[in-house]
Amino acid sequence: KNIKYPANALRKSQQGTVAVQFGVNWDGKVEVFSVLKSSGYKLLDQEVVRAIGSSPAWEPAQHQKKRVGQLFTVQVSFHARTRKIEVK
């Protein structure tokens, strides 16, 4: 919900899919970033990393009643013609 289509990327009709892996530590903070698959456009890749990094604290995972860190992988597709962003 926090991801915005960068205006410069829209003007240049840049589109593609970014796959990012990140970790949520035991206290709910987002900590680890790795762009697993680039869209081919720096602006789009940076926007996904920015949006995830600026998200509020997450509810941490639990294992045996203790809070633990967890890794997530998210794919974000930017569609220039429709100006839509799809998150999977």
Side-chain angles (χ1 to χ4, degrees):
K1 295 180 181 181
N2 192 17
I3 300 171
K4 307 278 190 256
Y5 212 124
N8 286 339
L10 266 176
R11 275 195 286 281
K12 296 175 184 177
S13 296
Q14 294 177 349
Q15 61 183 14
T17 300
V18 184
V20 175
Q21 186 173 59
F22 62 97
V24 175
N25 68 17
W26 66 270
D27 67 352
K29 292 182 184 170
V30 176
E31 291 217 341
V32 179
F33 287 98
S34 177
V35 175
L36 301 176
K37 178 184 174 280
S38 172
S39 65
Y41 299 102
K42 191 174 183 177
L43 282 173
L44 300 180
D45 297 352
Q46 288 174 337
E47 174 57 15
V48 173
V49 171
R50 181 208 62 77
I52 293 170
S54 66
S55 68
W58 290 47
E59 184 67 33
Q62 289 196 12
H63 179 70
Q64 297 179 352
K65 298 186 181 185
K66 289 186 179 183
R67 294 198 256 175
V68 296
Q70 185 175 8
L71 286 177
F72 293 90
T73 302
V74 175
Q75 286 188 40
V76 179
S77 297
F78 292 86
H79 305 281
R81 188 174 56 80
T82 60
R83 297 177 175 229
K84 295 207 177 196
I85 300 169
E86 182 181 12
V87 180
K88 292 182 183 175

